Amino acid sequence: MGAHQRAHNNGRLIYVDSDEVWELTAQGERRRIAGGGTGGDGGPANQADLNTLGDAVYSPQGELFLVERFTGLIKKVDRNGILSTVVGNANGVIPAAGMSPTAARFFSLRHIAFDKDGNLVFADTNLIWRVR
């Protein structure tokens, strides 16, 4: 999958490659904010092992959310740079309304966004899901 970009309203530009996320500031500084390592959940995002990244978007609270397309996971980088999984579970079950988003197995995550109320919204294959 090729690299893509997503602008953020505070002058930062996010550049997403296959397994890394870079931030470019309005001052032209570049830093890796996620990927390129061997770590995982609970550790620094910039030392994490990420897999086939897709979309990336900032939440209204300033946290970065990333789609791992083929693992079926959505990862969050909090404002302290710590990585966690907020959607998906490789050993989970077919998703159903009302279940925990970390108990479900998603198969082909695509795009993510936040609605006007700050809820995470994402697409998996042909369905759209909302996490409240």
Side-chain angles (χ1 to χ4, degrees):
M1 178 173 165
H4 63 279
Q5 302 171 357
R6 178 179 284 268
H8 183 45
N9 62 6
N10 70 358
R12 296 182 291 186
L13 180 70
I14 300 302
Y15 178 85
V16 180
D17 205 342
S18 179
D19 63 353
E20 295 178 300
V21 181
W22 298 87
E23 177 184 77
L24 303 171
T25 68
Q27 296 75 30
E29 299 168 349
R30 179 182 109 147
R31 70 182 181 105
R32 186 176 64 219
I33 53 178
T38 58
D41 283 0
N46 63 0
Q47 297 174 17
D49 180 18
L50 299 174
N51 184 353
T52 314
L53 294 173
D55 210 1
V57 64
Y58 276 98
S59 72
Q61 295 77 29
E63 299 165 317
L64 180 63
F65 286 73
L66 309 167
V67 169
E68 282 192 335
R69 290 186 58 206
F70 301 119
T71 61
L73 304 176
I74 296 177
K75 301 283 190 169
K76 176 179 80 172
V77 179
D78 71 17
R79 289 185 281 170
N80 295 315
I82 302 301
L83 185 75
S84 62
T85 298
V86 295
V87 171
N89 182 329
N91 299 312
V93 298
I94 303 292
M99 72 183 302
S100 167
T102 56
R105 168 101 169 101
F106 296 96
F107 296 95
S108 186
L109 293 177
R110 296 289 183 221
H111 301 287
I112 55 176
F114 285 88
D115 67 15
K116 65 179 179 59
D117 297 320
N119 297 306
L120 176 64
V121 179
F122 62 95
D124 175 46
T125 313
N126 297 321
L127 298 173
I128 297 174
W129 298 89
R130 178 176 59 188
V131 178
R132 297 181 190 193

